[in-house]
Amino acid sequence: MRIAIASFSDRGFALGERLSQALAAEGHDIESTRCGAGGPKVGEWTAGTFSRVDALLFVGSVGIAVRAIAPLLAGKSVDPAVVAVDDGGRHAVAVLSGHIGGANDLTATVARCIGAVPVITTATDVAGVFAVDTWAVANGLAIANPDAIKTVSAKALAGETVLLTSIYPVVGSLPDGWVFDAENPDVAIDVALPVSACLWLIPKTYVLGIGCRKGTSEAALAGVVARFCGIARVDMRAIAAVSSIDLKRDEPGLVAFCRQQGVPFTTYSAEALAAVEGTFAASGFVREVAGVDNVCERSAVLGSGGRLRVGKTILGGVALALAEKPYTVDFSVAGKREVDE
């Protein structure tokens, strides 16, 4: 997690340095700034930091944090986590993005590091009920329509039954008060494009195999992949990785496309691809150029460790295929915070 710390007094700066060391030791990427006294004004610091980090930690009052972030708020699905700690180190307060942004978890971590009392006010955490957005983020699922979270949380808080459908098998028990209902779900776990008002959670279960001509641009790839996902009825957010042959390892357009999408790009040798078991769309031309009869399907299957779901499709001179990773839904991980934490 990229965390930016701001302090406003000598005592606060000393506490910020202590937190910097403790959080860095836990694997976080930390930067610390002393606002005022020759440093930037808090508003300037916040504006320059808000969109480029995962979390802002104010070592000062909640009021300072609220006034600083107010002009920058965009929405719960995109705002960073914001936590405030008084400069005496007595209380750590989750201010913004408690679930999706991770402020609640960061607050608990900060409190543990300095012996402070964590203050978490999100209703599901206070009530000790399952928080579906916390669970989704912890398990790497994209939230297609964050506004629907409040409907699910309201039902859970009211003690009403939450209805679930999933295209993937569910292992273990459902959260308390949840039952399966494919007809009128409140929550759907699926990779298809959303078609209803229920909360739509998208697991990253697909590997996209790509074969393309040298010099294919990032923009061309983005357009082709968007068309392909629409045809396949798979949301782009379901793609966990992109794969190809090692001849394309340094292909500028492919590398840039994967960087822009925030997905890893993995390549394999012709020998490794040829060894993949299965029936694939063979091409003599591809074999002559690449040393293996098929790149997109074979690399997708090899990268996923699963099965081919959408075979070789050529759009705009780009060959694409989708393979699906084995996946199960497990609600036992990071869905409920203990009330006394």
Side-chain angles (χ1 to χ4, degrees), residues 2 5 109 122 125 152 178 180 192 194 210 214 239 244 248 259 263 274 297 338:
R2 294 166 298 170
I5 301 175
T109 299
T122 41
D125 296 280
V152 176
W178 287 49
F180 289 108
I210 293 181
K214 183 177 181 179
I239 295 177
S244 190
K248 297 297 179 181
R259 184 183 300 116
V263 295
E297 292 180 347
E338 296 302 323

Side-chain angles (χ1 to χ4, degrees), residues 193-260:
L193 300 171
V195 293
S196 73
C198 69
L199 177 61
W200 211 275
L201 305 179
I202 305 169
K204 292 184 178 297
T205 55
Y206 278 83
V207 172
L208 174 66
I210 293 181
C212 64
R213 298 188 186 99
K214 183 177 181 179
T216 303
S217 69
E218 174 193 353
L221 286 167
V224 164
V225 172
R227 287 172 56 198
F228 176 64
C229 287
I231 294 169
R233 289 194 49 76
V234 172
D235 193 290
M236 179 65 192
R237 288 166 290 190
I239 295 177
V242 173
S243 61
S244 190
I245 192 167
D246 57 8
L247 292 173
K248 297 297 179 181
R249 181 186 296 116
D250 300 315
E251 184 67 34
L254 260 176
V255 172
F257 169 75
C258 294
R259 184 183 300 116
Q260 178 64 31

Side-chain angles (χ1 to χ4, degrees), residues 283-309:
S283 165
F285 173 75
V286 173
R287 185 193 300 276
E288 182 178 343
V289 172
V292 63
D293 61 1
N294 180 292
V295 169
C296 61
E297 292 180 347
R298 288 181 178 274
S299 66
V301 171
L302 183 55
S304 71
R307 57 177 178 165
L308 189 66
R309 294 304 300 263

Side-chain angles (χ1 to χ4, degrees), residues 101-137:
N104 289 356
D105 287 337
L106 179 58
T107 296
T109 299
V110 166
R112 172 172 51 78
C113 287
I114 61 174
V117 176
V119 181
I120 295 171
T121 59
T122 41
T124 50
D125 296 280
V126 172
V129 302
F130 183 82
V132 65
D133 44 354
T134 296
W135 174 82
V137 171

